[in-house]
Amino acid sequence: VLYFGDGPGQWRNPVQGFDFSDLEHLELAQGRTEQTRVEPAALSAPRQRIYTLDCQTDGEDSGRWSYEGEFVMARAGALMGFAGWFEAELAPGVVLDTGPSAPATHWAQTFLPLPPRPVTAGQRIAVTCTGGPDPDRNARISLTVDGEARDFRLE
């Protein structure tokens, strides 16, 4: 639903008899993310922490981060993107979790769409991410999946 419902894959369906499927590629090239609610069953691999920020001790440049690792697919299916969210420890033992398995918040999750690709259970997907603020006070994420690079802007 994330990719084909409201995401770039929606353009594969004719509208009033017109073929708009070429717009899928153009929408993917924009690097737009979508704030949405991701169902836990939609996740194909276990979640991983890609960045930790300590607001009490980290300096102002700590908003720039990088991650290199791999995700191991828990089941066969189609990889259509990545979902991201945050957890914040507000006080000792008090955690705000915005993930798919947590109670819904207005932050929801962020979906980073990719062209769909088949995956098998146990398949390892190499991922490199870098992120940080841009001049417009948004965040930018560069995501490389098995050698294919995409840039995203989180507004």
Side-chain angles (χ1 to χ4, degrees):
V1 171
L2 293 174
Y3 189 86
F4 293 105
D6 294 324
Q10 71 179 325
W11 299 113
R12 293 185 184 187
N13 299 320
V15 177
Q16 301 283 333
F18 293 99
D19 179 6
F20 291 100
S21 59
D22 287 340
L23 295 178
E24 178 181 3
H25 171 73
L26 294 173
E27 186 169 335
L28 282 168
Q30 291 180 34
R32 296 191 61 169
T33 60
E34 180 180 336
Q35 183 180 359
T36 188
R37 182 80 182 141
V38 177
E39 293 300 321
L43 301 177
S44 300
R47 69 187 192 166
Q48 293 185 34
R49 183 180 315 264
I50 63 169
Y51 178 65
T52 300
L53 172 68
D54 186 332
C55 293
Q56 290 183 329
T57 60
D58 291 345
E60 68 180 63
D61 286 338
S62 61
R64 300 195 186 287
W65 54 270
S66 64
Y67 168 85
E68 187 171 333
E70 61 183 16
F71 286 79
V72 180
M73 298 296 106
R75 58 183 168 79
L79 174 64
M80 296 179 209
F82 283 83
W85 57 89
F86 68 91
E87 292 179 11
E89 184 178 15
L90 305 175
V94 180
V95 175
L96 169 62
D97 183 351
T98 65
S101 298
T105 68
H106 75 278
W107 288 287
Q109 294 84 51
T110 299
F111 177 59
L112 291 74
L114 299 171
R117 67 190 77 207
V119 293
T120 58
Q123 182 176 350
R124 297 177 179 280
I125 305 293
V127 175
T128 303
C129 298
T130 58
D134 72 6
D136 297 325
R137 297 184 61 191
N138 295 304
R140 293 221 179 251
I141 294 179
S142 295
L143 174 67
T144 302
V145 179
D146 284 340
E148 180 184 339
R150 296 259 176 201
D151 291 324
F152 295 93
R153 179 178 177 177
L154 282 72
E155 298 176 346

